[in-house]
Each structure stands twice: as structure tokens, then as C-alpha cells.
Amino acid sequence: MRWGRAAAAAGLVFLLTSCGAEFNPLYVEGAAAEPVIGWRDCPRADSDGIDEVGLYTWDKSSTVDEPGELLWRIKSDHGALLHRLRLGSTPKGFTTLHALTTTLEPGTTYALRTNMKSEDLVSGFLTFRPGQLRAGSGRIVFGSGKAESRKQYDARDDEDFGCFND
């Protein structure tokens, strides 16, 4: 099953972190009521779009491999290429495998896990609270729940996200 490979790929993300990447390229932004999931594009990277994404509850006993209760999951059908999508939606070219049937609570922590369409099986993982997001503020949540302005995020060196130009 692809999620099993996702866990292995998440390990790769953590391995990359130990080799100089401070954060993975997955982020969340927008209004708390309608968050948008995004993937930071790395120059010359071979990750060509989000293939699959899952949203989970997160608590003190959760891990990357066991992030908690599955709340929503979608998967690309035949080559849909997206770097941004609204959380809870099913964009054209995707299939809902588990519909989001609950409203996200501002103070609750959630986990996102993604796989990218890539021969390298790049994946991303982050935790966030919808209360960290504010419509029109340009705030972005990435990494381990780190929040900052979109301007600050965009100004970070690509190498912070494992985007090396070698």
C-alpha cells in the first residue's frame, strides 16, 4: 500500500533534515475555515505535484507513522498535477477516499501527510492548528507547526527545505 511507502518516505524527509534540510516543503495557509495546502517548489526538483494527501487528528501519543484518526484523504486519479489545494476539497482529477465530515476546531492540532508524484517518492508531513491561520494575514504554517508571514517564508533559503542546486 502506498501509505506504507509514505512512512518510509517520511523517514527520508527526516534523513534529509539531518543532512541540512531544516523543513520539508509542505505548508498550510489561508483562513482557518478554509485552509489551503501547498508544496514549496524547489528549483530543478523532480517532485511534480501532490499525488495523495491525508488529514489526521494529532495528540501526544501520535507519530508520523501513526498520526491519529483519519479525517480526510484524497488521491490523484491519472496524473493530476497540483501544488496547492483547498483542504477538504476534491479537486478535478482526484478521488475522495475518505470525506471530511467534521469542522476543524481552531485549537485542535491536526497532521497532514502527503505524497508527491515523483520517482523519488517525496513526501511531506506537518502539524498545525487552524487557529494559527488568519484570513488575509499572509501567515503560513510549515515544519513542526512553525508559523510566520508568507513574506518571511518565501525569503527563506531553498536549502532550508532540502532544495539543493548541485
Side-chain angles (χ1 to χ4, degrees):
M1 186 163 137
R2 185 150 171 134
W3 282 111
R5 293 191 307 166
L12 178 61
V13 167
F14 293 116
L15 178 63
L16 289 173
T17 301
S18 68
C19 297
E22 187 175 351
F23 308 107
N24 72 69
L26 181 63
Y27 64 87
V28 178
E29 66 180 341
E34 291 189 344
V36 173
I37 301 165
W39 186 267
R40 184 181 177 114
D41 289 325
C42 292
R44 292 173 257 178
D46 187 26
S47 55
D48 54 355
I50 295 171
D51 180 49
E52 168 173 33
V53 62
L55 174 73
Y56 303 82
T57 57
W58 181 262
D59 62 36
K60 293 177 184 175
S61 65
S62 297
T63 66
V64 173
D65 293 332
E66 298 288 331
E69 178 187 355
L70 177 66
L71 299 175
W72 171 68
R73 183 171 165 217
I74 61 171
K75 181 165 179 38
S76 171
D77 294 330
H78 302 288
L81 302 176
L82 293 177
H83 286 91
R84 293 174 46 88
L85 58 103
R86 191 170 55 79
L87 190 145
S89 70
T90 305
K92 183 177 180 177
F94 281 74
T95 298
T96 299
L97 303 174
H98 190 97
L100 182 62
T101 60
T102 186
T103 302
L104 302 185
E105 297 294 326
T108 299
T109 302
Y110 299 94
L112 279 172
R113 191 163 66 176
T114 61
N115 284 326
M116 300 297 286
K117 285 187 178 300
S118 172
E119 292 300 316
D120 299 327
L121 189 61
V122 176
S123 70
F125 179 85
L126 68 78
T127 59
F128 75 101
R129 289 181 326 281
Q132 292 176 283
L133 303 171
R134 290 174 189 75
S137 72
R139 284 176 58 91
I140 195 165
V141 179
F142 63 102
S144 299
K146 182 170 179 57
E148 65 187 17
S149 75
R150 180 65 195 235
K151 184 176 179 180
Q152 290 171 308
Y153 177 84
D154 289 342
R156 285 183 177 275
D157 190 305
D158 285 336
E159 289 187 9
D160 288 348
F161 298 90
C163 302
F164 302 104
N165 294 326
D166 301 8

